[in-house]
Amino acid sequence: MLPRDDSTLFTLARQGLLAARFAVADTAERRALLRELYAVTWPIVFGRITRPAESKRGHHRCARGFDKLMPDCADRFHDDVAAVIGEIVRRTTRPVADLEAWIAATAKSATVDAHRRRRGEIGALQRPRLAGWLRQELAGDEWLCLLAVHVLEWVGVPTTAGAGLWPLDSWAERRAEATSDWQGSTPAVVAREVEVVLSAMRSRPAWSARHVDRPMGHKQPATLSCPDPLPPLALVDQHHTTDSRLTAAARSAVQTIALRLERGEAPDVVVPDVVRELFCGGDATDGETSEWLAGQLLDDAGLRRVVTSVLRVIDGSDDDVRTG
């Protein structure tokens, strides 16, 4: 990225014109600004939002760096970066002397608001609270009422709890803390109590269908994480392993793009979509390469080069990738 004094992004921010300029920019200028914004924003989001969250989840590998994120965690990270960039281009209507400090101060609220919007889009309550009627259905039992709030929070989380539907182990610990029943607070007991809570919620079928069943239907199985394993025995040199990953990813990309093109989708949409998914933030490329490629996709000339190269492979003029 350009030094701050020479950067269009930082100059516009200092002048209080960034939001206005972005709103009227043509495609090329907008992509250039987005490329600079991404380069400034993603390290702040990773350090302020992603790393602490992944550490709290026990995803210690993911917390080490952008290029170590597992697919589900990478999706959350990209959602958060997009949310913060969206906030920047909306709110920078006054002079911002230190853009990076402003982003750091804004990042948490921007990601929280975006998280709530995503919850609302699938029907989950944005700010889960215990309704009076639900407290009555649960006979005022303090733990069951607290568990009901946990359920309402959990249904809006995109993933499941590993192989299970509910985070029973975590809730068992919370039950023990809330009730002081350390011996009786087991995942099996909590599982039965979840059913009690769900039964109470279903006393209002329309409400339950909208705020519980519908968001639960959007859940995707989580990528299982495990404690950091011992490094595997290397049977081949590292560059052979890297080449193998790249070849496999390229073959998958070619097949996916060709299939979507056959369905009538536009190359300018399909190619960056698939390339971004398979090569930007995944295991196929290292972090530096992923960032470079993401920047190419945001630049008109770079995007044209990528699309042209991929279409050349699809058309069969480069058989090396097609056949592996």
Side-chain angles (χ1 to χ4, degrees), residues 61-300:
R61 178 179 181 274
C62 295
R64 290 177 187 168
F66 165 80
D67 58 325
K68 300 294 191 298
L69 290 169
M70 295 183 296
D72 290 335
C73 304
D75 287 345
R76 284 192 291 266
F77 167 73
H78 288 300
D79 285 342
D80 288 342
V81 173
V84 175
I85 289 177
E87 196 75 358
I88 295 168
V89 299
R90 283 193 301 270
R91 290 184 50 196
T92 46
T93 56
R94 295 182 179 180
V96 177
D98 188 337
L99 182 60
E100 289 171 314
W102 188 91
I103 293 172
T106 306
K108 183 162 186 166
S109 62
T111 53
V112 168
D113 288 345
H115 172 69
R116 287 172 176 166
R117 286 195 298 271
R118 289 194 294 271
R119 287 179 63 92
E121 288 170 359
I122 62 173
L125 296 175
Q126 295 186 29
R127 293 182 175 89
R129 297 287 187 273
L130 189 70
W133 65 266
L134 185 52
R135 177 178 290 276
Q136 290 181 354
E137 289 289 335
L138 296 171
D141 184 286
E142 289 302 319
W143 161 244
L144 291 181
C145 290
L146 180 59
L147 181 59
V149 175
H150 290 328
V151 167
L152 292 174
E153 291 172 345
W154 180 251
V155 297
V157 175
T159 60
T160 57
L165 189 59
W166 309 101
L168 298 176
D169 290 335
S170 173
W171 288 352
E173 293 179 6
R174 296 184 185 183
R175 184 187 192 278
E177 294 171 355
T179 65
S180 298
D181 181 11
W182 300 95
Q183 186 173 0
S185 296
T186 65
V189 168
V190 175
R192 292 194 292 271
E193 292 173 336
V194 168
E195 291 303 318
V196 172
V197 168
L198 293 175
S199 177
M201 291 177 174
R202 290 172 187 139
S203 67
R204 296 201 175 185
W207 183 93
S208 179
R210 179 178 180 183
H211 297 303
V212 180
D213 298 337
R214 180 187 167 200
M216 285 296 288
H218 286 268
K219 280 188 177 289
Q220 298 293 327
T223 302
L224 297 179
S225 61
C226 59
D228 295 335
L230 292 174
L233 179 63
L235 301 179
V236 296
D237 293 337
Q238 179 61 39
H239 72 274
H240 289 303
T241 302
T242 301
D243 288 346
S244 177
R245 285 202 307 266
L246 284 170
T247 300
R251 187 182 299 114
S252 176
V254 167
Q255 293 171 348
T256 302
I257 291 169
L259 179 62
R260 290 178 60 176
L261 290 176
E262 290 176 0
R263 294 173 179 169
E265 295 187 53
D268 288 348
V269 174
V270 174
V271 172
D273 185 25
V274 175
V275 170
R276 190 176 289 111
E277 179 180 354
L278 291 177
F279 295 97
C280 299
D283 292 331
T285 54
D286 57 33
E288 184 176 347
T289 303
S290 295
E291 294 170 32
W292 175 84
L293 185 53
Q296 291 293 302
L297 296 176
L298 291 174
D299 175 74
D300 279 339

